[in-house]
Amino acid sequence: MRFLVQSTKFHVLAIGLLLVAACAPVSRPDGVTAADLPPGANRFATETKIEIIETFSDATDKADPAEIENYKAIALTALTGKLAAEKLEIVAATAEAPLKMRLELQIRRWEPITGGGTFVKAIVANSAGKELFSTQAGEGLHLLGNGLDTKIALRNSMERLAGGVIDGLKPLRTPAS
């Protein structure tokens, strides 16, 4: 009986953590209103920063450049796919766009002692540079959900992040835009 109670507590906690992990929280600076969102804002000039962590240190400089580009491609593909459904577009950082998005990607490679996972953050600003909102998501590496594969965890995190970007834009959009 005691085992059943302990097992039930664990499963309730696990379900709660999964529900929280499925959301990408949005934070907005004070004073941001719909007037700060340019009319027809549906394009993001996107800049991406990536950091690869091994155990407790930054290994980005030691990583293969092809591996870094592969992580960026996975991240942008997942983000673009979900945003396209809402008629939102990702363009190069140097392109002209009414919105700017800074993506910060952190990939923690699997280590038996420290574990592993991904953490992603998007900071969205208007073309004048005023921050409109930020959102973040992450996923730990685990055998059942992503097979300890950082690429799968990154894709999942970016899909949740895209949901946060969409949720961040909704209250700023007016019926006229």
Side-chain angles (χ1 to χ4, degrees):
M1 183 68 175
R2 186 170 150 203
F3 173 75
L4 182 62
V5 171
Q6 291 295 334
S7 177
T8 303
K9 284 182 185 178
F10 174 77
H11 287 99
V12 169
L13 178 63
I15 290 170
L17 288 174
L18 286 174
L19 290 174
V20 170
C23 304
V26 176
S27 65
R28 190 177 320 282
D30 291 336
V32 173
T33 65
D36 296 318
L37 187 69
N42 62 350
R43 292 174 45 138
F44 297 90
T46 306
E47 168 191 345
T48 306
K49 177 186 167 212
I50 188 165
E51 180 182 27
I52 298 175
I53 307 291
E54 282 184 355
T55 313
F56 296 111
S57 62
D58 186 348
T60 309
D61 293 339
K62 295 183 275 182
D64 179 14
E67 178 186 24
I68 292 173
E69 288 305 313
N70 191 26
Y71 280 130
K72 284 183 183 179
I74 290 167
L76 291 175
T77 300
L79 183 65
T80 302
K82 189 142 185 191
L83 292 181
E86 297 290 325
K87 297 186 177 24
L88 299 170
E89 183 182 2
I90 298 289
V91 295
T94 56
E96 190 66 34
L99 297 171
K100 297 176 189 250
M101 183 185 315
R102 188 172 73 238
L103 292 174
E104 298 173 0
L105 314 174
Q106 185 182 78
I107 288 71
R108 185 173 295 277
R109 291 184 176 151
W110 172 256
E111 295 283 334
I113 296 171
T114 61
T118 60
F119 175 77
V120 295
K121 182 177 183 177
I123 301 164
V124 176
N126 61 20
S127 57
K130 181 175 183 178
E131 183 179 326
L132 302 176
F133 63 90
S134 65
T135 184
Q136 58 192 19
E139 180 165 306
L141 295 180
H142 42 88
L143 192 56
L144 294 177
N146 51 39
L148 304 177
D149 188 337
T150 54
K151 293 175 180 128
I152 294 170
L154 179 60
R155 185 193 68 225
N156 294 344
S157 296
M158 291 304 292
E159 288 174 353
R160 281 194 292 278
L161 186 79
V165 169
I166 293 165
D167 290 346
L169 281 177
K170 281 182 184 174
L172 297 177
R173 290 189 162 178
T174 60
S177 60

